[in-house]
Amino acid sequence: MKIYTNDNNTATLKLLIAANLAGKKIELKKATFEDVSAGPKALPLLEVDDQLSFFSSNAAAQYLFPVLDLSQNGQCQQMQEWEATRLQPTTAAVLMSKSVASDLKQALNSLLLMVDGLLKTHKYIIGDKLSAADISIWSTLYPLCHNKDYQKQYLAECPNIMRWADELGSAKAIQEAVQQWGGSVEGPFAPTSALGIPQFTNMVSPVGTPESQEISITAEEIEAAKENWINGVKNLQEPLKKQDVILPVKGRRNVLITSALPYVNNVPHLGNIIGCVLSADIFARYCRLCDYNTLFICGTDEYGTATETKALEEGVTPREICDKYHTIHEAVYRWFDIGFDYFGRTSTPEQTEIAQKMFLKLMDNGFISKQSVDQQFCERCQRFLADRFVEGTCPHAGCGYEDARGDQCDACGRLVNAADLVRARCKLCAAPPALRASEQMFLELGQLEPALRAWAAGAAGGWSGPARAVSRGWLREPLRARAVTRDLRWGVPVPLPACRDKVFYVWFDAPIGYLSITQCATGQYEKWWKKDKDYDVKLYQFMAKDNVPFHVVMFPATVIGVNEGHLLVDHVFATEYLNYEDGKFSKSRGVGVFGTDAQETGIPSDVWRFYLTSIRPETSDSSFSWAELGTRNNSELLNNLGNFCHRSLSFCANTFKGVVPDAELTAADYELFALVNREVAGFVQHMEKGRLREALRCVLSVSRLGNQHMQSSQPWVLLRGDEQDKARGAAAVCVCCQLAALLAALLAPFVPRAAARLRDQLRLTPDQLRINPENPSLIQYLPPGHVIGKPEPLFAKLEPEMLEKLKAKYAGTQSERAKKQNGAAKGAAPAGAAELEAAVAAQADKVRQIKSSTKDKAVVQPEVDKLLALKKQLAAAQAQESRGAQGAPTGVNDVANLEKAIAEQGEKVRKLKASTKDKSVWQPEVNILLALKKQLADAQAQPEAGQSPTSVASVASVASLEKAIAEQGEKVRQLKASTKDKSVWQPEVNVLLDLKKQLAALQVKQ
Ligand SMILES: [Zn+2]
Ligand SMILES: [Zn+2]
């Protein structure tokens, strides 16, 4: 047996102590870069033989000395879990930081006090017997207990820890282990990750302090676990019937979910995505998992000055701007797998009708007043100018920027009053505007305040912390009347003769978008939005903090004033802000990662969803970090979740031909179920309160419990033993597969693609994988005798090198990045064929080298893409040079050459595809083929010398292209019908799309 370790790693100490107690000889080996880059990235690694190795140090310690755990299995595992997820990361963070932040210090102190409390009443961590938990905790605290400075700082109030540490430390087996370990309490301390990737822990979440009585499972919990195991499937409610148009259903829980409507004039960034649409989507998927009757809507917010400004900048109409960005938003959300029931927009006739109706009703009820407002007016354009439409010299001392806007100066960043601008001018025509009085309609918020306060006092219980804080801030002072109309063109017209040139202010009509979008989705919005005696609807709204006032003050005031029984929001789930690395995401300056960027990284959408949820700013601002994205993917998705599911299913597939074995469950199994059920209950509780990050944590705990069960029951040993052992091994495999099925259900809201793949591998339907929110627990998802499908890995590793590259790529602002790219393109453009040939050769060398060092497509593919791009440029340059030298007629030759090259390349692709399913191998060749085909089409489309543009040749190619499209279309249909594996049919779809593009290009030319 060998342990691979780095220097001064306290987790290695755990293993050595366990081995010493068990009397096992162990060889200690320094891990080299190669050892580590081939295997898992966590150290130490315990290698038992070729077949078996452990990279969780607690599981390894248990393997080495299982007897330490026999007495009180559940308690010991729970303590070790706590040690691994709370104590160890916090201690490591303290030991490895130069100056310790106060919240970190506080977190460690509270953990230590908890341990001290346990040791006050008992000799050891769990009662009066030494257990594996003692060894784990003792090893982790070794530097703290034996370094005088740390002792003084952290253990001054923990006499019981010191007593216990000294006592254990005097044991011979432990002393020998410490000697073999050879580390120093002076540091520096090794990270448990081998290559120095920082291990992150979330300090802002409440640090758990399991009380000793909470650790032990009660008899009631075990009884309930048993009951749910036996009758849980039976007790699920009837699956909800699918409706073509989703309307509330009597006798079911009806849930209406909205995500704040994104403003249409730009591309959403990751902060916007986690704050609104992704959070709402995770919740909506959870609701469907519980079989709630769910309607999830969203859409683009399209009216207002910002759209008009953007239209002006791009030289198009506001409608065109909206169409363009609506499409971009929709595509970004589709890529992130946001499963809206309907994604609409606010610039619709439905919006006009409902907004006007509500406004007139407010007026009837006496909540609208008229006031005169001074505003900038341009004589030449004959229109009032919104603040953004007035420009001039910044009035702030020391700035003097000449292109400051009427709302803000981009040079000094300060707010500006349009009337204060020096030498103000109209943004449209540059004429100087003048102040002119204009009559506007106001909503009398003050009159609505008492009713609003009464409602908020009762409703705020269902709101998230940030939402309550904002609401309290707003209601602290008396509310003032607020203008609901403006002198603008792009908006919902005000339905009064005196207001012919006015539209509604966007703050007033945007929330009405929820109603009009529901109308577009169902044709009967009032069924959802007005109270009905026959059924109940609960309204859940997701948004970022800055949007809260409109949802808890302004819109509710409108609804109360209209007084027609509209729904008021029950749950406002607002988030704080997400920062980018060390700065802020900024749409206007283009800082951070945007929805379209995420797609280009090649990192699957599931990984983005998982990571963004794990840093969701629920209680305070949080930060996006590329390094952390990698760590979470590799340690949690891949090592914890992915490996557990894949190992469990593989045991079932390999040893039992895929038939889930019968299990005689023991008391210990039901204890495990009871522990799992605590996590499932936690998952439901957190979800219902909109704490998605905490819910995800519970899912990961289920997987950790599963991993622990597999490590401690060791089916790979049992299945080789006698009949009794074999039965126990079969039971362990059955339990692990059932836990994998539970995970397929719990993961569905967060990583829908991976969850669906796992579900397919388990051969279960979505109806079979539901949760009972009334009684959340593990149920027998896999019926006796159920046969599962072929296990496949669910997640892939992300290389730190690639993440470093991405971090560099997305540094700075979007315009800086664009400049960098343009610069590169310009530098390469004038290159001749000879230079390009050299570049292609050099790049090809590089690709070969990388391919020999790694199989990771994420690393290889960008270089391959570069190579392909160079090859394309080379082909184009060669074609140009030959055309230039020999005149037009060579076009015919080009066509013949290209046809030959295509035939050869086609053959190559066919052979490759027959030999391997690995897309990373054949995709580059397919790309070359596609590029060649495109060149051929271009060559054919080029009118030859002496022929008219509508040459016979090109007409012929239209006909042949149409034929090719029909054939290719048929091929795609057949492939799609035969398999769901996108990697099989996507290349054919690409060929089809390419053909269609060629046809369109030809038709335009003619
Ligand atoms: Zn300024
Ligand atoms: Zn003007």
Side-chain angles (χ1 to χ4, degrees):
M1 262 188 276
K2 283 180 197 158
I3 294 175
Y4 291 86
T5 181
N6 41 1
D7 280 334
N8 232 12
N9 185 333
T10 54
T12 304
L13 191 52
K14 285 182 201 171
L15 304 196
L16 291 169
I17 296 173
N20 236 297
L21 287 169
K24 286 180 183 150
K25 275 261 169 295
I26 280 204
E27 186 187 341
L28 203 56
K29 222 175 153 249
K30 257 299 258 316
T32 62
F33 184 82
E34 285 73 26
D35 293 333
V36 172
S37 60
K41 299 239 151 153
L43 290 178
L45 171 77
L46 174 68
E47 189 182 272
V48 178
D49 54 36
D50 296 352
Q51 303 285 313
L52 182 60
S53 55
F54 294 90
F55 41 85
S56 147
S57 53
N58 281 334
Q62 254 176 46
Y63 169 83
L64 288 167
F65 198 31
V67 104
L68 280 172
D69 201 18
L70 282 184
S71 52
Q72 281 142 327
N73 207 343
Q75 280 190 40
C76 182
Q77 285 197 1
Q78 182 137 351
M79 271 323 289
Q80 283 192 302
E81 159 93 11
W82 175 85
E83 188 274 333
T85 56
R86 300 269 156 82
L87 184 65
Q88 196 280 329
T90 312
T91 311
V94 166
L95 292 177
M96 280 159 49
S97 35
K98 286 198 188 81
S99 62
V100 182
S102 64
D103 62 335
L104 183 56
K105 204 168 182 174
Q106 210 179 351
L108 182 58
N109 275 331
S110 78
L111 295 176
L112 291 170
L113 284 174
M114 203 285 290
V115 176
D116 199 69
L118 291 178
L119 292 168
K120 195 175 185 173
T121 44
H122 296 108
K123 189 164 180 220
Y124 295 106
I125 297 289
I126 302 165
D128 294 319
K129 270 192 183 158
L130 184 71
S131 74
D134 289 287
I135 291 177
S136 296
I137 293 174
W138 190 87
S139 303
T140 293
L141 296 185
Y142 179 78
L144 293 183
C145 294
H146 293 84
N147 173 314
K148 286 273 174 293
D149 288 342
Y150 288 129
Q151 252 181 45
K152 219 171 13 189
Q153 276 189 56
Y154 295 98
L155 293 166
E157 288 168 47
C158 302
N160 302 297
I161 292 186
M162 290 311 297
R163 183 260 309 154
W164 160 87
D166 286 345
E167 205 174 296
L168 280 187
S170 63
K172 187 162 164 271
I174 291 184
Q175 283 181 348
E176 281 172 10
V178 171
Q179 208 160 27
Q180 190 183 1
W181 179 61
S184 153
V185 294
E186 305 302 329
F189 297 95
T192 47
S193 64
L195 297 178
I197 314 158
Q199 294 281 312
F200 289 85
T201 81
N202 220 326
M203 291 306 156
V204 291
S205 61
V207 178
T209 49
E211 299 287 320
S212 45
Q213 62 265 34
E214 271 180 17
I215 296 171
S216 56
I217 301 159
T218 63
E220 288 78 22
E221 282 181 291
I222 292 180
E223 246 344 278
K226 218 172 195 169
E227 157 67 19
N228 287 320
W229 174 255
I230 296 164
N231 291 319
V233 174
K234 241 184 342 206
N235 291 341
L236 283 175
Q237 61 180 341
E238 267 296 293
L240 196 65
K241 282 201 197 74
K242 294 262 174 302
Q243 308 181 73
D244 290 336
V245 173
I246 305 172
L247 291 172
V249 174
K250 211 173 146 177
R252 300 295 289 232
R253 185 156 171 199
N254 298 295
V255 175
L256 176 58
I257 302 166
T258 72
S259 155
L261 307 181
Y263 204 73
V264 81
N265 68 339
N266 43 33
V267 180
H269 58 60
L270 295 181
N272 305 133
I273 289 169
I274 182 60
C276 308
V277 290
L278 177 54
S279 294
D281 178 60
I282 289 169
F283 185 72
R285 286 175 189 272
Y286 161 77
C287 290
R288 295 185 196 117
L289 189 66
C290 295
D291 232 349
Y292 299 157
N293 183 40
T294 308
L295 181 69
F296 171 29
I297 55 143
C298 185
T300 37
D301 174 12
E302 307 197 338
Y303 286 134
T305 344
T307 309
E308 278 192 89
T309 316
K310 190 81 179 178
L312 215 58
E313 273 168 25
E314 298 196 8
V316 297
T317 64
R319 166 61 64 197
E320 284 169 321
I321 281 290
C322 293
D323 288 349
K324 174 181 162 189
Y325 283 97
H326 175 80
T327 310
I328 292 176
H329 275 266
E330 206 177 19
V332 166
Y333 301 144
R334 197 179 312 123
W335 187 81
F336 275 95
D337 284 313
I338 309 296
F340 302 116
D341 289 308
Y342 191 84
F343 185 73
R345 49 203 303 185
T346 57
S347 61
T348 60
E350 287 82 355
Q351 174 78 0
T352 302
E353 191 191 321
I354 298 172
Q356 291 184 342
K357 211 163 68 184
M358 290 181 92
F359 171 77
L360 290 174
K361 199 75 201 171
L362 281 170
M363 203 146 136
D364 278 355
N365 293 347
F367 296 113
I368 298 289
S369 64
K370 194 157 60 173
Q371 293 182 29
S372 176
V373 183
D374 280 344
Q375 241 184 299
Q376 302 280 352
F377 185 83
C378 176
E379 283 290 346
R380 198 181 298 170
C381 299
Q382 274 301 301
R383 62 182 285 175
F384 283 99
L385 300 175
D387 292 345
R388 286 160 177 253
F389 280 65
V390 188
E391 290 181 342
T393 302
C394 176
H396 290 295
C399 176
Y401 182 58
E402 288 179 4
D403 293 323
R405 288 194 318 257
D407 56 348
Q408 197 176 12
C409 168
D410 279 337
C412 66
R414 279 176 283 190
L415 295 180
V416 172
N417 215 330
D420 298 339
L421 283 171
V422 183
R423 284 186 300 281
R425 59 181 190 271
C426 166
K427 186 181 166 112
L428 307 169
C429 72
L435 278 182
R436 185 185 276 196
S438 173
E439 304 253 283
Q440 302 295 354
M441 307 311 250
F442 278 67
L443 177 61
E444 287 295 337
L445 287 172
Q447 291 180 35
L448 293 160
E449 197 176 320
L452 190 65
R453 273 179 197 281
W455 165 73
W463 304 351
S464 70
R468 276 204 297 270
V470 172
S471 155
R472 264 201 305 272
W474 269 78
L475 291 176
R476 202 169 289 146
E477 307 203 344
L479 296 173
R480 290 188 315 182
R482 204 175 156 98
V484 294
T485 60
R486 305 197 84 184
D487 295 290
L488 267 184
R489 296 193 184 152
W490 182 239
V492 175
V494 181
L496 296 173
C499 298
R500 207 158 289 136
D501 292 328
K502 298 182 200 298
V503 298
F504 289 122
Y505 219 134
V506 69
W507 73 260
F508 175 75
D509 90 83
I512 295 174
Y514 295 129
L515 281 59
S516 74
I517 290 168
T518 309
Q519 178 65 9
C520 293
T522 65
Q524 305 176 58
Y525 83 96
E526 294 183 331
K527 290 237 176 222
W528 280 103
W529 284 94
K530 284 195 177 174
K531 293 189 188 96
D532 191 299
K533 63 176 172 29
D534 284 340
Y535 53 80
D536 195 34
V537 173
K538 289 271 177 262
L539 174 59
Y540 291 80
Q541 303 199 292
F542 288 79
M543 69 208 69
K545 195 165 56 175
D546 53 349
N547 245 319
V548 171
F550 302 101
H551 291 80
V552 303
V553 179
M554 266 79 99
F555 187 57
T558 305
V559 165
I560 291 171
V562 168
N563 195 22
E564 282 196 319
H566 285 93
L567 221 52
L568 283 160
V569 64
D570 299 287
H571 299 277
V572 180
F573 292 150
T575 52
E576 305 276 344
Y577 299 124
L578 179 70
N579 295 320
Y580 180 66
E581 294 285 349
D582 294 326
K584 278 209 180 335
F585 274 98
S586 162
K587 264 193 223 183
S588 52
R589 292 191 302 124
V591 174
V593 180
F594 289 75
T596 39
D597 299 333
Q599 300 177 39
E600 282 170 13
T601 59
I603 298 171
S605 59
D606 269 353
V607 175
W608 286 103
R609 293 176 60 112
F610 174 81
Y611 174 58
L612 288 173
T613 312
S614 75
I615 55 168
R616 184 170 182 260
E618 283 177 6
T619 46
S620 61
D621 292 359
S622 65
S623 277
F624 172 93
S625 137
W626 287 100
E628 188 185 16
L629 168 71
T631 311
R632 289 218 188 265
N633 177 76
N634 296 349
S635 68
E636 287 169 353
L637 276 184
L638 182 64
N639 270 349
N640 176 6
L641 269 169
N643 278 354
F644 171 68
C645 295
H646 191 235
R647 281 179 86 187
S648 302
L649 269 60
S650 297
F651 271 120
C652 180
N654 298 338
T655 317
F656 301 96
K657 298 203 171 78
V659 183
V660 179
D662 270 343
E664 273 211 26
L665 298 180
T666 62
D669 290 323
Y670 288 120
E671 260 179 41
L672 170 68
F673 289 0
L675 279 176
V676 167
N677 289 347
R678 282 183 184 173
E679 302 299 337
V680 185
F683 165 84
V684 167
Q685 272 169 16
H686 288 309
M687 275 293 195
E688 295 281 344
K689 296 260 186 253
R691 294 188 297 253
L692 313 180
R693 189 186 67 197
E694 294 304 307
L696 178 59
R697 200 193 279 274
C698 294
V699 179
L700 292 172
S701 295
V702 170
S703 168
R704 270 192 209 107
L705 287 168
N707 268 319
Q708 283 170 10
H709 183 66
M710 186 177 284
Q711 297 297 4
S712 62
S713 56
Q714 305 184 7
W716 56 93
V717 177
L718 291 173
L719 290 169
R720 285 186 305 221
D722 60 18
E723 282 312 304
Q724 211 186 345
D725 280 353
K726 276 191 181 135
R728 279 170 53 219
V733 171
C734 168
V735 166
C736 287
C737 287
Q738 299 282 0
L739 288 178
L742 173 65
L743 284 168
L746 299 180
L747 283 171
F750 304 103
V751 286
R753 276 174 196 246
R757 280 206 305 279
L758 180 56
R759 196 184 67 217
D760 286 346
Q761 291 170 28
L762 287 161
R763 295 240 175 95
L764 291 173
T765 64
D767 271 354
Q768 288 173 296
L769 276 180
R770 287 178 295 151
I771 297 279
N772 180 355
E774 302 298 319
N775 187 4
S777 54
L778 172 67
I779 59 178
Q780 202 171 351
Y781 285 112
L782 301 164
H786 181 82
V787 183
I788 65 163
K790 188 169 173 261
E792 308 259 7
L794 294 171
F795 303 104
K797 191 157 81 181
L798 293 179
E799 295 297 336
E801 299 77 29
M802 181 193 74
L803 295 165
E804 274 300 312
K805 276 189 194 156
L806 288 171
K807 184 178 170 184
K809 181 173 171 189
Y810 291 107
T813 65
Q814 277 179 323
S815 54
E816 283 164 10
R817 284 177 225 154
K819 255 187 235 153
K820 238 194 282 174
Q821 265 181 353
N822 284 343
K826 266 182 208 142
E835 284 159 77
L836 279 167
E837 256 171 307
V840 166
Q843 183 66 19
D845 258 359
K846 190 170 176 192
V847 167
R848 262 191 300 279
Q849 271 173 13
I850 292 179
K851 276 196 179 170
S852 67
S853 71
T854 174
K855 280 188 181 160
D856 191 318
K857 196 185 156 192
V859 177
V860 177
Q861 193 59 49
E863 297 301 331
V864 171
D865 290 343
K866 237 186 254 166
L867 178 59
L868 292 177
L870 281 170
K871 281 189 179 170
K872 238 195 214 161
Q873 282 177 32
L874 174 61
Q878 283 170 333
Q880 214 169 20
E881 284 181 10
S882 67
R883 236 179 257 133
Q886 299 164 29
T890 46
V892 179
N893 243 336
D894 279 343
V895 169
N897 281 338
L898 278 168
E899 279 174 345
K900 194 168 156 241
I902 287 173
E904 286 170 9
Q905 185 66 17
E907 188 51 35
K908 193 170 176 188
V909 167
R910 262 189 299 282
K911 278 187 191 155
L912 270 176
K913 280 197 178 175
S915 70
T916 173
K917 278 191 178 165
D918 185 353
K919 197 178 162 188
S920 66
V921 174
W922 47 256
Q923 189 61 51
E925 297 299 335
V926 170
N927 291 345
I928 293 176
L929 180 59
L930 292 177
L932 284 169
K933 284 188 176 171
K934 202 160 168 234
Q935 282 174 34
L936 176 61
D938 289 346
Q940 285 171 332
Q942 215 140 69
E944 288 176 25
Q947 280 179 324
S948 71
T950 48
S951 68
V952 183
S954 59
V955 172
S957 50
V958 166
S960 64
L961 271 172
E962 280 173 345
K963 192 166 160 247
I965 287 173
E967 286 170 9
Q968 185 67 18
E970 187 52 37
K971 192 169 176 188
V972 167
R973 262 189 298 283
Q974 281 174 5
L975 271 175
K976 280 197 175 174
S978 70
T979 173
K980 278 188 178 166
D981 186 353
K982 198 177 163 191
S983 68
V984 173
W985 47 256
Q986 189 60 51
E988 297 299 337
V989 171
N990 291 345
V991 172
L992 179 60
L993 291 177
D994 205 48
L995 285 169
K996 285 188 176 171
K997 239 195 228 157
Q998 286 174 31
L999 179 61
L1002 265 187
Q1003 284 169 334
V1004 167
K1005 273 186 195 161
Q1006 284 172 16

